[in-house]
PDB file of all heavy atoms in Angstrom:
ATOM      1  N   PHE A  24       0.823  -1.181   0.002  1.00 92.00           N
ATOM      2  CA  PHE A  24       0.020   0.016  -0.027  1.00 92.00           C
ATOM      3  C   PHE A  24       0.825   1.254   0.030  1.00 92.00           C
ATOM      4  O   PHE A  24       0.335   2.365  -0.129  1.00 92.00           O
ATOM      5  CB  PHE A  24      -0.939  -0.004   1.226  1.00 92.00           C
ATOM      6  CG  PHE A  24      -2.044  -0.982   1.160  1.00 92.00           C
ATOM      7  CD1 PHE A  24      -1.838  -2.314   1.743  1.00 92.00           C
ATOM      8  CD2 PHE A  24      -3.235  -0.702   0.515  1.00 92.00           C
ATOM      9  CE1 PHE A  24      -2.766  -3.221   1.699  1.00 92.00           C
ATOM     10  CE2 PHE A  24      -4.244  -1.732   0.511  1.00 92.00           C
ATOM     11  CZ  PHE A  24      -4.035  -2.956   1.099  1.00 92.00           C
ATOM     12  N   GLY A  25       2.107   1.228   0.221  1.00 93.00           N
ATOM     13  CA  GLY A  25       2.923   2.378   0.369  1.00 93.00           C
ATOM     14  C   GLY A  25       2.663   2.922   1.691  1.00 93.00           C
ATOM     15  O   GLY A  25       2.140   2.380   2.582  1.00 93.00           O
ATOM     16  N   ASP A  26       2.942   4.307   1.804  1.00 95.00           N
ATOM     17  CA  ASP A  26       2.665   5.038   3.074  1.00 95.00           C
ATOM     18  C   ASP A  26       1.214   5.484   3.166  1.00 95.00           C
ATOM     19  O   ASP A  26       1.002   6.613   3.388  1.00 95.00           O
ATOM     20  CB  ASP A  26       3.801   6.066   3.277  1.00 95.00           C
ATOM     21  CG  ASP A  26       3.784   7.064   2.068  1.00 95.00           C
ATOM     22  OD1 ASP A  26       2.891   7.011   1.206  1.00 95.00           O
ATOM     23  OD2 ASP A  26       4.690   7.964   2.198  1.00 95.00           O
ATOM     24  N   GLU A  27       0.357   4.541   3.126  1.00 94.00           N
ATOM     25  CA  GLU A  27      -1.047   4.774   3.346  1.00 94.00           C
ATOM     26  C   GLU A  27      -1.565   3.832   4.350  1.00 94.00           C
ATOM     27  O   GLU A  27      -1.174   2.627   4.337  1.00 94.00           O
ATOM     28  CB  GLU A  27      -1.902   4.659   2.013  1.00 94.00           C
ATOM     29  CG  GLU A  27      -1.643   5.699   1.024  1.00 94.00           C
ATOM     30  CD  GLU A  27      -2.564   5.586  -0.174  1.00 94.00           C
ATOM     31  OE1 GLU A  27      -3.688   5.148   0.070  1.00 94.00           O
ATOM     32  OE2 GLU A  27      -2.200   6.033  -1.226  1.00 94.00           O
ATOM     33  N   PHE A  28      -2.443   4.269   5.271  1.00 96.00           N
ATOM     34  CA  PHE A  28      -2.977   3.438   6.351  1.00 96.00           C
ATOM     35  C   PHE A  28      -4.332   2.872   5.723  1.00 96.00           C
ATOM     36  O   PHE A  28      -5.239   3.550   5.371  1.00 96.00           O
ATOM     37  CB  PHE A  28      -3.382   4.274   7.555  1.00 96.00           C
ATOM     38  CG  PHE A  28      -3.578   3.459   8.741  1.00 96.00           C
ATOM     39  CD1 PHE A  28      -2.540   3.125   9.630  1.00 96.00           C
ATOM     40  CD2 PHE A  28      -4.819   2.908   9.015  1.00 96.00           C
ATOM     41  CE1 PHE A  28      -2.689   2.361  10.738  1.00 96.00           C
ATOM     42  CE2 PHE A  28      -5.035   2.123  10.195  1.00 96.00           C
ATOM     43  CZ  PHE A  28      -3.940   1.900  11.084  1.00 96.00           C
ATOM     44  N   PRO A  29      -4.337   1.432   5.494  1.00 94.00           N
ATOM     45  CA  PRO A  29      -5.334   0.937   4.703  1.00 94.00           C
ATOM     46  C   PRO A  29      -6.682   0.515   5.385  1.00 94.00           C
ATOM     47  O   PRO A  29      -7.624   0.159   4.715  1.00 94.00           O
ATOM     48  CB  PRO A  29      -4.649  -0.364   4.163  1.00 94.00           C
ATOM     49  CG  PRO A  29      -3.741  -0.768   5.215  1.00 94.00           C
ATOM     50  CD  PRO A  29      -3.256   0.519   5.811  1.00 94.00           C
ATOM     51  N   ILE A  30      -6.734   0.734   6.765  1.00 96.00           N
ATOM     52  CA  ILE A  30      -7.944   0.282   7.492  1.00 96.00           C
ATOM     53  C   ILE A  30      -8.553   1.496   8.151  1.00 96.00           C
ATOM     54  O   ILE A  30      -7.935   2.303   8.691  1.00 96.00           O
ATOM     55  CB  ILE A  30      -7.550  -0.776   8.536  1.00 96.00           C
ATOM     56  CG1 ILE A  30      -7.003  -1.984   7.990  1.00 96.00           C
ATOM     57  CG2 ILE A  30      -8.857  -1.104   9.375  1.00 96.00           C
ATOM     58  CD1 ILE A  30      -6.359  -2.934   9.092  1.00 96.00           C
ATOM     59  N   ARG A  31      -9.896   1.586   8.028  1.00 96.00           N
ATOM     60  CA  ARG A  31     -10.688   2.602   8.588  1.00 96.00           C
ATOM     61  C   ARG A  31     -11.727   2.115   9.534  1.00 96.00           C
ATOM     62  O   ARG A  31     -12.340   1.233   9.313  1.00 96.00           O
ATOM     63  CB  ARG A  31     -11.304   3.505   7.515  1.00 96.00           C
ATOM     64  CG  ARG A  31     -12.161   4.618   8.006  1.00 96.00           C
ATOM     65  CD  ARG A  31     -13.060   5.100   7.021  1.00 96.00           C
ATOM     66  NE  ARG A  31     -14.211   4.373   6.778  1.00 96.00           N
ATOM     67  CZ  ARG A  31     -15.105   4.450   5.854  1.00 96.00           C
ATOM     68  NH1 ARG A  31     -14.946   5.370   4.910  1.00 96.00           N
ATOM     69  NH2 ARG A  31     -16.172   3.736   5.738  1.00 96.00           N
ATOM     70  N   PHE A  32     -11.786   2.725  10.730  1.00 97.00           N
ATOM     71  CA  PHE A  32     -12.936   2.444  11.706  1.00 97.00           C
ATOM     72  C   PHE A  32     -13.704   3.759  11.895  1.00 97.00           C
ATOM     73  O   PHE A  32     -13.043   4.792  12.278  1.00 97.00           O
ATOM     74  CB  PHE A  32     -12.408   1.943  13.030  1.00 97.00           C
ATOM     75  CG  PHE A  32     -12.154   0.525  13.158  1.00 97.00           C
ATOM     76  CD1 PHE A  32     -11.536  -0.246  12.077  1.00 97.00           C
ATOM     77  CD2 PHE A  32     -12.350  -0.263  14.351  1.00 97.00           C
ATOM     78  CE1 PHE A  32     -11.286  -1.527  12.191  1.00 97.00           C
ATOM     79  CE2 PHE A  32     -12.007  -1.557  14.446  1.00 97.00           C
ATOM     80  CZ  PHE A  32     -11.544  -2.263  13.419  1.00 97.00           C
ATOM     81  N   ASP A  33     -15.051   3.804  11.757  1.00 96.00           N
ATOM     82  CA  ASP A  33     -15.755   4.885  12.108  1.00 96.00           C
ATOM     83  C   ASP A  33     -17.174   4.434  12.561  1.00 96.00           C
ATOM     84  O   ASP A  33     -17.630   3.302  12.406  1.00 96.00           O
ATOM     85  CB  ASP A  33     -15.822   5.829  10.904  1.00 96.00           C
ATOM     86  CG  ASP A  33     -16.600   5.235   9.745  1.00 96.00           C
ATOM     87  OD1 ASP A  33     -15.915   4.594   8.860  1.00 96.00           O
ATOM     88  OD2 ASP A  33     -17.784   5.477   9.626  1.00 96.00           O
ATOM     89  N   PHE A  34     -17.945   5.412  13.187  1.00 98.00           N
ATOM     90  CA  PHE A  34     -19.162   5.159  13.635  1.00 98.00           C
ATOM     91  C   PHE A  34     -20.311   5.840  12.747  1.00 98.00           C
ATOM     92  O   PHE A  34     -20.055   6.973  12.328  1.00 98.00           O
ATOM     93  CB  PHE A  34     -19.348   5.662  15.151  1.00 98.00           C
ATOM     94  CG  PHE A  34     -18.440   5.178  16.181  1.00 98.00           C
ATOM     95  CD1 PHE A  34     -17.562   6.064  16.713  1.00 98.00           C
ATOM     96  CD2 PHE A  34     -18.506   3.876  16.488  1.00 98.00           C
ATOM     97  CE1 PHE A  34     -16.613   5.634  17.662  1.00 98.00           C
ATOM     98  CE2 PHE A  34     -17.496   3.411  17.424  1.00 98.00           C
ATOM     99  CZ  PHE A  34     -16.681   4.233  18.059  1.00 98.00           C
ATOM    100  N   LEU A  35     -21.444   5.070  12.586  1.00 98.00           N
ATOM    101  CA  LEU A  35     -22.513   5.572  11.895  1.00 98.00           C
ATOM    102  C   LEU A  35     -23.731   5.569  12.817  1.00 98.00           C
ATOM    103  O   LEU A  35     -24.198   4.427  13.172  1.00 98.00           O
ATOM    104  CB  LEU A  35     -22.772   4.890  10.527  1.00 98.00           C
ATOM    105  CG  LEU A  35     -21.673   4.719   9.608  1.00 98.00           C
ATOM    106  CD1 LEU A  35     -22.042   3.801   8.465  1.00 98.00           C
ATOM    107  CD2 LEU A  35     -21.261   6.039   9.068  1.00 98.00           C
ATOM    108  N   ASP A  36     -24.221   6.749  13.373  1.00 98.00           N
ATOM    109  CA  ASP A  36     -25.224   6.622  14.391  1.00 98.00           C
ATOM    110  C   ASP A  36     -26.561   7.152  13.791  1.00 98.00           C
ATOM    111  O   ASP A  36     -26.722   8.181  13.311  1.00 98.00           O
ATOM    112  CB  ASP A  36     -24.881   7.601  15.479  1.00 98.00           C
ATOM    113  CG  ASP A  36     -25.779   7.762  16.589  1.00 98.00           C
ATOM    114  OD1 ASP A  36     -26.868   7.094  16.652  1.00 98.00           O
ATOM    115  OD2 ASP A  36     -25.564   8.600  17.555  1.00 98.00           O
ATOM    116  N   THR A  37     -27.565   6.094  13.804  1.00 98.00           N
ATOM    117  CA  THR A  37     -28.913   6.536  13.292  1.00 98.00           C
ATOM    118  C   THR A  37     -29.946   6.310  14.512  1.00 98.00           C
ATOM    119  O   THR A  37     -31.160   6.227  14.204  1.00 98.00           O
ATOM    120  CB  THR A  37     -29.310   5.626  12.076  1.00 98.00           C
ATOM    121  OG1 THR A  37     -29.349   4.224  12.508  1.00 98.00           O
ATOM    122  CG2 THR A  37     -28.263   5.749  11.006  1.00 98.00           C
ATOM    123  N   MET A  38     -29.467   6.170  15.701  1.00 98.00           N
ATOM    124  CA  MET A  38     -30.367   6.014  16.849  1.00 98.00           C
ATOM    125  C   MET A  38     -31.271   7.275  16.918  1.00 98.00           C
ATOM    126  O   MET A  38     -30.757   8.423  17.088  1.00 98.00           O
ATOM    127  CB  MET A  38     -29.577   5.887  18.088  1.00 98.00           C
ATOM    128  CG  MET A  38     -29.014   4.460  18.274  1.00 98.00           C
ATOM    129  SD  MET A  38     -30.345   3.219  18.709  1.00 98.00           S
ATOM    130  CE  MET A  38     -29.237   1.916  19.225  1.00 98.00           C
ATOM    131  N   GLU A  39     -32.582   7.060  16.791  1.00 97.00           N
ATOM    132  CA  GLU A  39     -33.573   8.096  16.725  1.00 97.00           C
ATOM    133  C   GLU A  39     -33.310   9.076  15.529  1.00 97.00           C
ATOM    134  O   GLU A  39     -33.742  10.172  15.560  1.00 97.00           O
ATOM    135  CB  GLU A  39     -33.537   8.952  18.103  1.00 97.00           C
ATOM    136  CG  GLU A  39     -33.791   8.123  19.282  1.00 97.00           C
ATOM    137  CD  GLU A  39     -33.767   8.918  20.558  1.00 97.00           C
ATOM    138  OE1 GLU A  39     -34.098  10.004  20.586  1.00 97.00           O
ATOM    139  OE2 GLU A  39     -33.243   8.274  21.598  1.00 97.00           O
ATOM    140  N   GLY A  40     -32.685   8.473  14.541  1.00 97.00           N
ATOM    141  CA  GLY A  40     -32.316   9.213  13.330  1.00 97.00           C
ATOM    142  C   GLY A  40     -32.981   8.580  12.151  1.00 97.00           C
ATOM    143  O   GLY A  40     -34.127   8.024  12.284  1.00 97.00           O
ATOM    144  N   GLY A  41     -32.390   8.689  11.001  1.00 96.00           N
ATOM    145  CA  GLY A  41     -33.045   8.052   9.774  1.00 96.00           C
ATOM    146  C   GLY A  41     -32.087   7.067   9.055  1.00 96.00           C
ATOM    147  O   GLY A  41     -30.956   6.799   9.553  1.00 96.00           O
ATOM    148  N   ASN A  42     -32.643   6.614   7.893  1.00 97.00           N
ATOM    149  CA  ASN A  42     -31.719   5.682   7.163  1.00 97.00           C
ATOM    150  C   ASN A  42     -30.573   6.421   6.556  1.00 97.00           C
ATOM    151  O   ASN A  42     -30.691   7.666   6.174  1.00 97.00           O
ATOM    152  CB  ASN A  42     -32.484   5.070   6.043  1.00 97.00           C
ATOM    153  CG  ASN A  42     -33.726   4.214   6.543  1.00 97.00           C
ATOM    154  OD1 ASN A  42     -33.821   3.808   7.678  1.00 97.00           O
ATOM    155  ND2 ASN A  42     -34.732   4.068   5.623  1.00 97.00           N
ATOM    156  N   LEU A  43     -29.457   5.730   6.374  1.00 96.00           N
ATOM    157  CA  LEU A  43     -28.392   6.243   5.534  1.00 96.00           C
ATOM    158  C   LEU A  43     -28.935   6.340   4.030  1.00 96.00           C
ATOM    159  O   LEU A  43     -29.905   5.786   3.758  1.00 96.00           O
ATOM    160  CB  LEU A  43     -27.101   5.462   5.644  1.00 96.00           C
ATOM    161  CG  LEU A  43     -26.127   5.706   6.608  1.00 96.00           C
ATOM    162  CD1 LEU A  43     -26.671   5.421   8.047  1.00 96.00           C
ATOM    163  CD2 LEU A  43     -24.831   4.910   6.436  1.00 96.00           C
ATOM    164  N   SER A  44     -28.164   6.951   3.215  1.00 96.00           N
ATOM    165  CA  SER A  44     -28.577   6.940   1.713  1.00 96.00           C
ATOM    166  C   SER A  44     -28.333   5.506   1.238  1.00 96.00           C
ATOM    167  O   SER A  44     -27.415   4.808   1.692  1.00 96.00           O
ATOM    168  CB  SER A  44     -27.709   7.916   0.938  1.00 96.00           C
ATOM    169  OG  SER A  44     -26.323   7.483   1.107  1.00 96.00           O
ATOM    170  N   LEU A  45     -29.199   5.155   0.239  1.00 97.00           N
ATOM    171  CA  LEU A  45     -28.929   3.970  -0.447  1.00 97.00           C
ATOM    172  C   LEU A  45     -27.797   4.059  -1.344  1.00 97.00           C
ATOM    173  O   LEU A  45     -27.715   5.046  -2.106  1.00 97.00           O
ATOM    174  CB  LEU A  45     -30.229   3.645  -1.355  1.00 97.00           C
ATOM    175  CG  LEU A  45     -30.357   2.130  -1.860  1.00 97.00           C
ATOM    176  CD1 LEU A  45     -30.506   1.195  -0.760  1.00 97.00           C
ATOM    177  CD2 LEU A  45     -31.452   2.097  -2.812  1.00 97.00           C
ATOM    178  N   GLN A  46     -26.770   3.249  -1.332  1.00 97.00           N
ATOM    179  CA  GLN A  46     -25.537   3.584  -1.993  1.00 97.00           C
ATOM    180  C   GLN A  46     -24.773   2.302  -2.451  1.00 97.00           C
ATOM    181  O   GLN A  46     -25.187   1.145  -2.156  1.00 97.00           O
ATOM    182  CB  GLN A  46     -24.660   4.319  -0.920  1.00 97.00           C
ATOM    183  CG  GLN A  46     -24.373   3.483   0.333  1.00 97.00           C
ATOM    184  CD  GLN A  46     -23.752   4.330   1.490  1.00 97.00           C
ATOM    185  OE1 GLN A  46     -22.665   4.103   1.828  1.00 97.00           O
ATOM    186  NE2 GLN A  46     -24.652   5.392   1.980  1.00 97.00           N
ATOM    187  N   VAL A  47     -23.739   2.538  -3.225  1.00 96.00           N
ATOM    188  CA  VAL A  47     -22.776   1.565  -3.668  1.00 96.00           C
ATOM    189  C   VAL A  47     -21.365   2.078  -3.763  1.00 96.00           C
ATOM    190  O   VAL A  47     -21.245   3.291  -4.043  1.00 96.00           O
ATOM    191  CB  VAL A  47     -23.245   0.981  -4.944  1.00 96.00           C
ATOM    192  CG1 VAL A  47     -23.298   2.051  -6.111  1.00 96.00           C
ATOM    193  CG2 VAL A  47     -22.630  -0.316  -5.372  1.00 96.00           C
ATOM    194  N   HIS A  48     -20.458   1.311  -3.706  1.00 95.00           N
ATOM    195  CA  HIS A  48     -18.981   1.659  -3.762  1.00 95.00           C
ATOM    196  C   HIS A  48     -18.285   1.129  -5.031  1.00 95.00           C
ATOM    197  O   HIS A  48     -18.702   0.086  -5.554  1.00 95.00           O
ATOM    198  CB  HIS A  48     -18.145   1.265  -2.600  1.00 95.00           C
ATOM    199  CG  HIS A  48     -18.663   1.712  -1.323  1.00 95.00           C
ATOM    200  ND1 HIS A  48     -18.872   3.115  -1.040  1.00 95.00           N
ATOM    201  CD2 HIS A  48     -19.191   1.121  -0.146  1.00 95.00           C
ATOM    202  CE1 HIS A  48     -19.359   3.333   0.181  1.00 95.00           C
ATOM    203  NE2 HIS A  48     -19.602   2.079   0.696  1.00 95.00           N
ATOM    204  N   PRO A  49     -17.332   1.818  -5.684  1.00 94.00           N
ATOM    205  CA  PRO A  49     -16.756   1.400  -6.882  1.00 94.00           C
ATOM    206  C   PRO A  49     -15.940   0.207  -6.869  1.00 94.00           C
ATOM    207  O   PRO A  49     -15.288  -0.081  -5.850  1.00 94.00           O
ATOM    208  CB  PRO A  49     -15.953   2.631  -7.238  1.00 94.00           C
ATOM    209  CG  PRO A  49     -15.562   3.258  -6.061  1.00 94.00           C
ATOM    210  CD  PRO A  49     -16.765   3.158  -5.129  1.00 94.00           C
TER     211      PRO A  49
END
């Protein structure tokens, strides 16, 4: 990968919220 950090962790919070967008990745 070279000098790139290849793993990502993040939170998606929809508690008392709504749906994420309907989506797709390349």
Side-chain angles (χ1 to χ4, degrees):
F24 291 90
D26 55 5
E27 292 189 27
F28 197 91
I30 301 173
R31 180 194 77 187
F32 275 38
D33 64 270
F34 303 115
L35 306 172
D36 180 2
T37 66
M38 283 289 192
E39 303 176 37
N42 299 340
L43 271 66
S44 61
L45 194 67
Q46 58 192 245
V47 66
H48 301 302

